[in-house]
Amino acid sequence: MPKIDLDSVERINRTGYPEPFNRDVEGRWYRRLAPATGLTDFGVSHVTLKPGAWSSQRHWHNGEDEFLVMLDGEAVLVEDDGRTLLKPGDCAAWPKGSTNGHHLINESGEECSFICMSGGKNEGGGYSDVDMIFTPEGTYARKDGTPY
């Protein structure tokens, strides 16, 4: 595969999060690299966070491993055990089934970017700090199962 021209991959900031959970990710922009390059066994996204933006709500995946590589700038990784500053070259990993909710927050005054990879089967997952789960069908519900 030749070098990927990032500018040729659509840069989007959509989210399926319901109100008010969508507000924290308004400054998150991402490119889905796997579909654009023909990869089908795992996902790869190039993510840019504007200052103040979150990567997601703090979450975990029931059936998917996640691996992150920080590229530029810095962001704070927030997990169950606390906060860790990530800088270029730093990596983080979350095995499937771990309920260690995680996300990144750009608390700096500059953009930051990272690559996030995931693989496995979408079996849904949960959110640590808000009343929400995500389903294997790609929908969101409250923790009691009531759909949003």
Side-chain angles (χ1 to χ4, degrees):
M1 179 80 192
K3 177 182 170 184
I4 300 166
D5 176 11
L6 283 180
D7 291 334
S8 71
V9 180
E10 181 184 17
R11 188 174 181 226
I12 54 179
N13 74 338
R14 289 188 298 264
T15 181
Y17 288 164
E19 284 279 347
F21 309 125
N22 60 337
R23 294 181 194 144
D24 297 313
V25 298
E26 287 177 349
R28 174 193 68 189
W29 291 84
Y30 58 92
R31 291 179 167 101
R32 298 280 190 222
L33 301 181
T37 58
L39 299 177
T40 58
D41 287 342
F42 60 95
V44 184
S45 292
H46 178 273
V47 183
T48 300
L49 298 180
K50 304 283 186 184
W54 294 13
S55 60
S56 63
Q57 293 292 330
R58 214 160 61 87
H59 70 284
W60 70 86
H61 295 264
N62 294 331
E64 293 179 83
D65 293 328
E66 282 186 283
F67 188 84
L68 180 145
V69 180
M70 198 71 188
L71 299 175
D72 310 303
E74 58 184 47
V76 176
L77 168 62
V78 181
E79 300 178 287
D80 291 347
D81 293 332
R83 298 163 52 93
T84 305
L85 183 64
L86 297 182
K87 295 183 177 184
D90 288 342
C91 301
W94 301 275
K96 64 184 170 188
S98 167
T99 58
N100 181 11
H102 54 274
H103 71 174
L104 271 62
I105 302 174
N106 182 353
E107 295 181 348
S108 78
E110 304 292 327
E111 289 185 357
C112 67
S113 64
F114 55 91
I115 295 286
C116 193
M117 296 160 270
S118 62
K121 184 177 178 191
N122 178 3
E123 297 175 354
Y127 295 89
S128 302
D129 304 320
V130 297
D131 183 17
M132 188 166 65
I133 61 170
F134 61 96
T135 69
E137 296 77 34
T139 61
Y140 295 94
R142 291 175 179 79
K143 290 179 180 176
D144 68 4
T146 307
Y148 274 102

